[in-house]
Amino acid sequence: MNKSPVLLDTGFLLGRLTSGAKRGDSRVMATQLDTLDVLVLAALLLGTIAYFTKGSLWAVEKGAAAGIYGGSKANGAATKGSKTRDIVKTMEESDKNMVIFYGSQTGTAEDYASRLAKEGSARFGLKTMIANLEEFDYENLDTLPEDKIAVFVMATYGEGEPTDNAVDFYEFIMGDDVNFTEGDRLSNLKFIGFGLGNNTYEHFNAVVRRLTATLLKLGAKQIGTIGEGDDGTGTMEEDFLAWKEPMWKALQEEMDLEEREAVYEPVFSITELTDLSVEDNTVYLGEPNKNHLEGASKGPYGANNPFIAPVKSSREIFTVKDRNCLHMEIDVTGTNLSYTTGDHIAVWPTNAGKEVDRFLGVLGLEGKKDGVVGVAGIDPTAKVPFPTPTTYDAIARYHLEICAPVSRQFLASLAAFAPTPAAKEELTRLGGDKDYFQETVSSRYLNIAQVLELNAPGEAWSNVPFSLMIEGLNRIQPRYYSISSSSLVQPKLISITCVVESINIPGASHVLKGVTSNYLLALKQKQHGDPEPDPHGLSYAITGPRNKYDGIHVPVHTRASNFRLPSDPSKPVIMIGPGTGVAPFRAFVQERAALAEKGEKIGKTLLFFGCRRASEDFLYQEEWKEYAEKLGDSFSLITAFSRDGPEKVYVQHRLKEHAKEVNELLAQGGYFYVCGDAAHMAREVNTSLGNIIAQERGMTETQGEEIVKRLRSSNLYQVSLFLRLNCLYMVSLGPVSIWHAMRS
């Protein structure tokens, strides 16, 4: 374990003191410690006390104003000193009887946890809190009193893996030798479980299923049945809504709860700070934390602290005017950021000015958009999801998913604040009738401001508490892109390959525009000389808060992936990457070409690439020729152009045509990779591969499917997928996982 220099030095001096004391020789101590030693020791002892107490011995309680003027989750100024990792103690001190833990990768599980907490409080008078699994320890979970309830809202990430923030908890609770403070049983624990998964994968909702089985094995009591949301069918939201009603009924019976009329109780206080203005250097205008605010951004950079990276170059790689695909080079020189070929880069988006204005306008806040507000948690366990004090404009532009799909439950909660009786009636119907909601809202991909505009034309929804918007809308999330460069070739220059989304929705009066992809397009246009870029009619604050992104910069961090080339480059690889699914395979081929130049033996490198037309969207067409020259016979590119012939041809068709070679390469220990559309292509490729193996090896289809499963479980078959809901738009890119609907 690494120790801090302060602790090491203190230990050294304490050792000198102790060694003298043990011999009972005060003279030794006196000769060993001169005046400087004493002063240093005193300073180090104070440092040690500060280290272990986090300053709590001399901390001063600042009251509610601490939250309003800076005590947010983002900078931790108000609550850090009193933070404990003891969940039982936290619940006792805050008088809570229901905790909702969440394991979340992109915010959906956290959103569901928050909604359960609010509903439990409003409908049943429960004293609820939500808890990030990584912020607590669980050795004393067995001491959670029987009159308290634990809820686990768990997303499954990858092939049955927990999300990043749930790894420590999951490994602890699933351990063979798990022990708690009073034994190895959880007899007192009463729990509820809901999972977020995707049926595209074999290990559908594996995390919540395994966790439930383990908790039951340890003696815990389950309330209700496991809920399982399915992102693969696009029914996550409806799965959640259908599960929670019988769950609440079961909990009512267990805890003898009495339902009451739900009345909205804000989680956050919103205070307009007239003594501050946007000119004050203490006001956050979109900066993610205090270091960024003070202009002294420093690492380590990661999911809570992005690096404002320069875009070294950008170019268009489609050859048609009505569609865009960008290749961008992001420079992370001089930072701790690094990556391995196959990893992802996270881009932190900015909402378009048009949508920010629409959102603030419909809430009647257009005249106050630059007004400074302080946001603080009314409940001590509530965490403000962004730094404060800030402005309405900064909240809408940098912190809330104002362009995301709308929750039916959220619309129902807004009905009470409608400006007209007709609008109230309509939102109540939308919230209660899932078929009508699907027809009116979901199928048209409306965001929250568009829904409110349509249901009260010309009216401001000024009665809606702004706290409700903060609670009801997800925090804006970074979008993850497969890195399309090799870390061996360009370790500090990260490539992105990104299709810009701008899609006409049948039956809708608007065009669906990707938030991040259009933001990147605006950056590209600015870099190429357009002084005021407005891709697809949108404009972005591309110079960032206080012009800190000027010079074409974008906030980023990197994230590790399990999507990896074999460590032995002589192993064959088969890659299926239509469209921008080819991004990680450009990196793979680039790396193998570099290794070949160094004299390494390279195994067969077989790439299946598909697009519409060779003349329009054949990504990296010239580059493949360069790589082929370096790799020689070890590289083969097999293309499928779906609209260049009389019949549509896709990569799965080409895969079948090369069945013999594919089977031979797999028999040689080859690796099989798929990146692209999860809804159709990935499923069909999976099925095709099973059929190929069965056909070439004289097996039944069932036996072929079993071999494919073994390839996946042994990591010889790897996938990195994205999902287009109803083939209309893309959601977040992730390794071996599909995440919640989010306009990229």
Side-chain angles (χ1 to χ4, degrees):
M1 180 178 69
N2 292 329
K3 297 180 180 179
S4 73
V6 169
L7 293 182
L8 285 171
D9 289 345
T10 306
F12 169 71
L13 288 174
L14 286 175
R16 292 171 68 182
L17 274 172
T18 307
S19 64
K22 284 181 179 178
R23 292 192 298 272
D25 191 347
S26 59
R27 288 173 299 177
V28 172
M29 292 174 62
T31 57
Q32 286 182 331
L33 289 171
D34 57 19
T35 303
L36 180 59
D37 278 338
V38 172
L39 291 173
V40 171
L41 177 59
L44 291 173
L45 284 174
L46 287 172
T48 303
I49 292 169
Y51 178 85
F52 284 112
T53 66
K54 309 299 184 189
S56 61
L57 293 181
W58 50 78
V60 178
E61 180 60 51
K62 298 183 184 299
I68 293 173
Y69 285 89
S72 71
K73 179 179 180 181
N75 58 29
T79 59
K80 194 172 182 179
S82 58
K83 180 68 176 176
T84 175
R85 292 186 61 85
D86 186 333
I87 185 60
V88 177
K89 181 180 179 181
T90 298
M91 293 184 71
E92 289 175 350
E93 290 181 347
S94 54
D95 191 29
K96 303 298 182 184
N97 59 7
M98 183 178 193
V99 57
I100 301 98
F101 297 106
Y102 62 86
S104 186
Q105 198 70 24
T106 62
T108 306
E110 182 180 0
D111 175 52
Y112 286 171
S114 177
R115 287 160 62 177
L116 288 173
K118 285 183 61 63
E119 191 170 354
S121 174
R123 287 178 60 182
F124 304 103
L126 289 163
K127 299 174 181 178
T128 61
M129 66 173 287
I130 66 170
N132 186 336
L133 279 165
E134 69 182 352
E135 294 182 357
F136 295 93
D137 298 321
Y138 299 94
E139 287 82 358
N140 68 341
L141 198 58
D142 58 330
T143 65
L144 192 70
E146 291 181 329
D147 62 346
K148 300 185 188 298
I149 295 291
V151 183
F152 296 92
V153 182
M154 308 292 291
T156 295
Y157 173 72
E159 291 286 5
E161 302 158 17
T163 56
D164 292 347
N165 76 310
V167 169
D168 290 344
F169 163 74
Y170 189 74
E171 290 180 349
F172 167 75
I173 205 74
M174 302 296 289
D176 293 334
D177 56 350
V178 61
N179 269 293
F180 303 98
T181 53
E182 297 181 4
D184 60 358
R185 304 293 291 166
L186 290 174
S187 304
N188 289 344
L189 183 68
K190 295 178 180 177
F191 76 95
I192 293 166
F194 181 81
L196 296 82
N198 188 287
N199 69 6
T200 301
Y201 300 104
E202 179 182 354
H203 303 285
F204 174 59
N205 265 315
V207 169
V208 75
R209 292 179 181 182
R210 292 171 187 161
L211 175 61
T212 298
T214 298
L215 293 176
L216 291 172
K217 182 180 177 181
L218 293 171
K221 181 178 180 180
Q222 181 181 349
I223 308 301
T225 59
I226 301 176
E228 295 190 349
D230 186 1
D231 210 18
T233 56
T235 59
M236 182 75 76
E237 176 71 13
E238 291 302 331
D239 294 337
F240 173 72
L241 296 179
W243 163 79
K244 70 181 182 64
E245 286 309 317
M247 179 277 292
W248 287 127
K249 184 175 181 180
L251 187 59
Q252 272 187 277
E253 296 175 357
E254 177 66 30
M255 296 186 70
D256 194 26
L257 301 175
E258 182 176 341
E259 185 168 3
R260 62 188 187 182
E261 183 180 356
V263 178
Y264 173 68
E265 297 175 353
V267 173
F268 304 107
S269 66
I270 312 295
T271 306
E272 295 187 356
L273 305 174
T274 55
D275 57 323
L276 293 176
S277 76
V278 292
E279 304 300 325
D280 287 286
N281 59 13
T282 58
V283 176
Y284 290 85
L285 300 183
E287 297 90 349
N289 55 48
K290 191 173 183 180
N291 284 334
H292 283 265
L293 177 68
E294 295 177 346
S297 170
K298 58 184 179 181
Y301 297 104
N304 295 312
N305 184 36
F307 172 58
I308 311 304
V311 178
K312 186 171 183 179
S313 65
S314 57
R315 60 188 171 93
E316 176 66 58
I317 48 179
F318 279 173
T319 58
V320 287
K321 292 182 179 180
D322 60 339
R323 298 170 61 213
N324 299 94
C325 185
L326 306 177
H327 177 88
M328 306 188 85
E329 303 281 354
I330 311 296
D331 193 345
V332 295
T333 302
T335 74
N336 67 298
L337 293 176
S338 62
Y339 74 101
T340 300
T341 305
D343 282 350
H344 300 93
I345 184 169
V347 176
W348 295 44
T350 297
N351 284 316
K354 179 180 179 180
E355 293 303 329
V356 172
D357 292 342
R358 187 201 305 272
F359 177 77
L360 295 177
V362 80
L363 295 176
L365 295 172
E366 66 273 16
K368 294 183 176 182
K369 71 175 188 175
D370 291 326
V372 180
V373 294
V375 183
I378 294 173
D379 185 287
T381 64
K383 296 179 180 178
V384 182
F386 46 78
T388 182
T390 184
T391 66
Y392 288 115
D393 183 86
I395 294 170
R397 192 176 301 275
Y398 295 103
H399 299 301
L400 297 182
E401 288 282 10
I402 62 173
C403 295
V406 181
S407 156
R408 182 160 65 89
Q409 185 178 0
F410 184 44
L411 286 186
S413 71
L414 293 173
F417 306 101
T420 66
K424 180 178 181 179
E425 181 180 352
E426 182 68 3
L427 257 64
T428 301
R429 182 183 176 189
L430 287 169
D433 187 333
K434 68 177 184 180
D435 293 330
Y436 184 61
F437 175 80
Q438 168 64 28
E439 175 189 348
T440 307
V441 177
S442 290
S443 65
R444 298 164 68 188
Y445 301 97
L446 300 176
N447 63 40
I448 184 62
Q450 289 169 333
V451 173
L452 299 184
E453 276 185 338
L454 288 171
N455 285 286
E459 298 281 349
W461 292 65
S462 52
N463 291 329
V464 176
F466 198 70
S467 174
L468 183 53
M469 283 295 169
I470 298 174
E471 299 159 33
L473 297 176
N474 285 345
R475 288 177 296 171
I476 202 164
Q477 297 291 331
R479 272 56 163 179
Y480 292 91
Y481 294 86
S482 287
I483 295 174
S484 54
S485 55
S486 161
S487 57
L488 176 67
V489 177
Q490 45 189 79
K492 287 296 182 178
L493 198 59
I494 296 175
S495 297
I496 293 178
T497 307
C498 171
V499 165
V500 180
E501 296 291 349
S502 181
I503 304 170
N504 289 300
I505 307 300
S509 59
H510 67 285
V511 177
L512 185 67
K513 300 177 179 68
V515 174
T516 310
S517 58
N518 279 278
Y519 169 51
L520 292 177
L521 179 56
L523 288 173
K524 180 256 181 185
Q525 291 175 345
K526 180 71 177 293
Q527 190 167 50
H528 288 260
D530 189 339
E532 295 183 2
D534 60 341
H536 301 116
L538 302 177
S539 62
Y540 291 85
I542 57 178
T543 61
R546 294 184 170 89
N547 294 320
K548 291 175 181 176
Y549 301 177
D550 201 9
I552 319 301
H553 287 70
V554 64
V556 301
H557 71 271
T558 55
R559 188 192 64 191
S561 165
N562 295 324
F563 205 64
R564 289 284 183 266
L565 276 167
S567 56
D568 180 358
S570 68
K571 289 285 186 183
V573 296
I574 304 160
M575 301 167 287
I576 317 293
T580 53
V582 82
F585 303 138
R586 175 186 183 264
F588 282 13
V589 176
Q590 186 183 67
E591 178 148 319
R592 289 200 145 198
L595 290 171
E597 282 192 303
K598 292 182 178 181
E600 295 272 2
K601 180 182 178 182
I602 306 299
K604 184 66 178 183
T605 305
L606 190 60
L607 172 61
F608 291 85
F609 169 76
C611 62
R612 294 183 184 180
R613 293 184 173 90
S615 61
E616 294 182 358
D617 49 5
F618 191 169
L619 301 182
Y620 304 113
Q621 183 175 3
E622 296 304 316
E623 285 190 29
W624 302 127
K625 297 174 184 177
E626 296 173 11
Y627 298 140
E629 290 179 3
K630 297 175 182 178
L631 288 165
D633 292 340
S634 66
F635 177 64
S636 292
L637 173 64
I638 299 163
T639 56
F641 303 115
S642 63
R643 301 187 185 183
D644 271 352
E647 296 182 1
K648 290 188 176 181
V649 179
Y650 298 107
V651 288
Q652 50 267 38
H653 301 135
R654 297 298 191 213
L655 185 66
K656 292 177 183 178
E657 293 172 5
H658 291 77
K660 181 177 177 61
E661 182 179 14
V662 167
N663 179 61
E664 289 175 351
L665 293 177
L666 291 176
Q668 295 168 19
Y671 284 62
F672 191 85
Y673 301 90
V674 182
C675 183
D677 172 34
H680 301 287
M681 182 276 296
R683 291 175 186 267
E684 293 181 20
V685 166
N686 192 78
T687 300
S688 296
L689 185 61
N691 293 338
I692 286 170
I693 291 172
Q695 171 189 320
E696 294 296 318
R697 302 184 189 184
M699 299 175 171
T700 65
E701 288 187 5
T702 301
Q703 290 172 319
E705 291 169 1
E706 287 300 316
I707 290 179
V708 170
K709 288 182 180 180
R710 289 202 294 271
L711 289 172
R712 293 181 76 141
S713 63
S714 62
N715 216 33
L716 292 172
Y717 182 158
Q718 300 178 30
V719 293
S720 181
L721 306 176
F722 58 79
L723 177 68
R724 287 175 179 268
L725 295 185
N726 299 329
C727 297
L728 287 176
Y729 70 101
M730 187 167 69
V731 299
S732 299
L733 189 67
V736 209
S737 66
I738 312 300
W739 294 336
H740 69 292
M742 180 186 296
R743 296 179 186 181
S744 62

